[in-house]
Amino acid sequence: MDKNKFCVRPFNSIHIGTKGNMKTCCVIKPLKSEFTGEKKFNLQYNSIQDFWQSDYRKYLLNSFIDGKKIKECDACWNDEKKGTKSMRQFTNREYGIIGNKKPLQYLSLLNKVDMSHPEDYNLDITNLCNLKCYMCTGESSSRLLVENKALGIEDLNQKDYDHDEESLNYLIQQIIQNKVRCITLQGGEPLINPKILTMLEKLSEQETAGKITVWITTNGTAYSDKIFQILEKFDKIKLIFSIDGTDKINDYLRFPSDFKTIESNVKEYIKLKNATLMLTYTVQNFNLLYIKDIIDFTIKYNIYLKLNILHTPTYLHHSVLPVKTKKEALKRLYQIEKEKLIHVTNFDSLISQVETCLHDDISRELDFFKSIISKRDNHRQVRISNFLPELASDLNI
């Protein structure tokens, strides 16, 4: 097997987005596919089996068995070309696909040949969220959607991003009936969402709960004894904290979060005996200078750190900074001791990418970036200089 081309996701997984779109994972782009048949499936008018038995999914399976690099997976191929660990690589490793066997050998060993139903559900139930993160969109945050509409950045309809009770009950039924082994919950903020908490509670009451792994991507702002009690009933819990800085850095980027509350909640979730914790840090121009701080935070709590290097929106890319700022960021990255990086993914790739873009001409994007800061600061009635004074000074705002 060419391990640089195979991906297990199409063979065992389904992703359902906030609009109901069904895909094999959260990063695949079916509309870029060379497949000429139907490739759009939606929970509003299709069953999970419609997608799972579709000719398009069969096309995906055959493509990966044949070792083809298909166009809809460009996000992963591009990450890997830059030396960044992709979703494909991350997932393969989670499922034990790390050698050089042929695809069908691996699938046979893992009992994933011709699966009648996905065993791994990746669900974005609604975009209900309590934060307005800079790099997010209205599809994944109800609060940001309201702000973006007010600022003329997006024109989306909130009702398009909320699954009804019938859809929710259908998903619960399918998970129980088909003995789904892994559930991933994300976007908006799962742990403030009554529908997601209801789903988790119902599933936790089933005899099969002890065989289910639940992945939850959370901004860390929500915790309660009830949530704790629900989560401890499952076989394994994997909590992925989306945090983009410590203290005021995170509070600004993930407005209006309170880092002290987040840190307090992390301390509580660590007590879950069936849980492993991970922190994802979306590297962007706002937080490029402050990566050492988040590394120190994860070392303090013994949490694995994955640096996600932002792709969009492009005006938030780490390259869109004055040369002076990028040089200072590189200096700080070089100074981080190697022994602190054992638990960090994508650090070397980040350094390489910052070095490459050091002298890029980004004047137009930089002006746009500064204009967005001005718009959001005025709307939120805050000033970046009160949160990130060093960056504000470099940007002369």
Side-chain angles (χ1 to χ4, degrees), residues 172-207:
I172 295 172
Q173 176 192 27
Q174 291 296 302
I175 290 170
I176 295 171
Q177 178 180 315
N178 293 286
K179 299 179 181 179
V180 172
R181 293 300 182 90
C182 184
I183 304 163
T184 299
L185 301 168
Q186 56 194 27
E189 170 47 45
L191 297 179
I192 68 164
N193 191 325
K195 291 183 177 180
I196 289 180
L197 294 177
T198 295
M199 169 183 277
L200 285 172
E201 187 169 20
K202 288 182 178 180
L203 292 174
S204 73
E205 294 168 351
Q206 301 293 316
E207 290 183 6

Side-chain angles (χ1 to χ4, degrees), residues 285-304:
N285 46 16
F286 278 118
N287 61 15
L288 185 64
L289 286 166
Y290 312 108
I291 290 173
K292 181 181 181 299
D293 296 335
I294 202 66
I295 290 176
D296 288 341
F297 177 80
T298 53
I299 290 174
K300 179 180 179 180
Y301 293 108
N302 195 28
I303 301 174
Y304 173 79

Side-chain angles (χ1 to χ4, degrees), residues 29-284:
K29 304 291 184 186
L31 295 184
K32 295 177 67 175
S33 178
E34 293 181 338
F35 179 75
T36 57
E38 182 58 57
K39 49 203 172 213
K40 291 179 65 176
F41 297 86
N42 194 292
L43 194 62
Q44 296 177 26
Y45 44 82
N46 293 115
S47 68
I48 289 174
Q49 283 302 114
D50 287 341
F51 168 74
W52 199 247
Q53 301 298 334
S54 67
D55 289 338
Y56 175 58
R57 182 174 161 271
K58 292 174 184 175
Y59 161 81
L60 295 177
L61 303 186
N62 291 331
S63 296
F64 279 106
I65 287 173
D66 292 340
K68 296 179 180 177
K69 281 192 172 182
I70 51 179
K71 291 185 177 180
E72 50 264 72
C73 295
D74 277 351
C76 284
W77 311 136
N78 290 336
D79 274 347
E80 293 165 25
K81 186 176 181 180
K82 296 174 184 176
T84 301
K85 189 174 181 180
S86 69
M87 175 67 74
R88 181 190 73 85
Q89 292 171 319
F90 187 79
T91 304
N92 280 353
R93 188 170 187 84
E94 283 295 314
Y95 279 98
I97 299 175
I98 54 177
N100 291 297
K101 293 182 174 63
K102 293 181 179 180
L104 288 175
Q105 286 180 295
Y106 264 117
L107 294 170
S108 179
L109 286 170
L110 297 171
N111 294 317
K112 301 189 193 311
V113 178
D114 296 328
M115 297 190 74
S116 60
H117 195 89
E119 65 175 352
D120 189 330
Y121 275 39
N122 192 310
L123 306 175
D124 300 343
I125 302 298
T126 81
N127 68 342
L128 180 67
C129 191
N130 56 345
L131 301 184
K132 301 184 285 187
C133 304
Y134 251 91
M135 65 289 178
C136 197
T137 69
E139 291 188 17
S140 298
S141 170
S142 54
R143 288 197 69 182
L144 186 67
L145 186 151
V146 173
E147 178 172 293
N148 282 353
K149 288 185 76 170
L151 296 177
I153 295 173
E154 287 183 306
D155 186 19
L156 303 174
N157 191 331
Q158 173 58 41
K159 71 178 183 179
D160 291 335
Y161 303 97
D162 193 5
H163 291 280
D164 57 27
E165 292 295 330
E166 183 178 353
S167 295
L168 181 66
N169 289 332
Y170 170 73
L171 289 172
I172 295 172
Q173 176 192 27
Q174 291 296 302
I175 290 170
I176 295 171
Q177 178 180 315
N178 293 286
K179 299 179 181 179
V180 172
R181 293 300 182 90
C182 184
I183 304 163
T184 299
L185 301 168
Q186 56 194 27
E189 170 47 45
L191 297 179
I192 68 164
N193 191 325
K195 291 183 177 180
I196 289 180
L197 294 177
T198 295
M199 169 183 277
L200 285 172
E201 187 169 20
K202 288 182 178 180
L203 292 174
S204 73
E205 294 168 351
Q206 301 293 316
E207 290 183 6
T208 53
K211 297 181 179 179
I212 295 176
T213 296
V214 180
W215 291 57
I216 301 175
T217 299
T218 174
N219 58 34
T221 59
Y223 173 84
S224 71
D225 290 342
K226 183 175 182 180
I227 292 174
F228 190 98
Q229 290 161 8
I230 291 172
L231 296 183
E232 67 181 353
K233 293 180 181 179
F234 292 97
D235 178 32
K236 295 177 184 176
I237 298 294
K238 296 191 177 183
L239 289 172
I240 304 170
F241 292 97
S242 290
I243 301 175
D244 295 324
T246 58
D247 302 311
K248 287 189 174 183
I249 300 165
N250 194 73
D251 294 351
Y252 184 78
L253 291 186
R254 293 180 162 265
F255 186 82
S257 63
D258 174 40
F259 188 75
K260 291 181 180 179
T261 298
I262 293 170
E263 185 169 12
S264 175
N265 291 341
V266 168
K267 291 178 183 178
E268 293 299 323
Y269 283 119
I270 287 174
K271 298 175 185 177
L272 270 172
K273 294 180 180 180
N274 60 337
T276 55
L277 278 58
M278 181 171 87
L279 191 151
T280 59
Y281 181 97
T282 302
V283 179
Q284 54 200 282

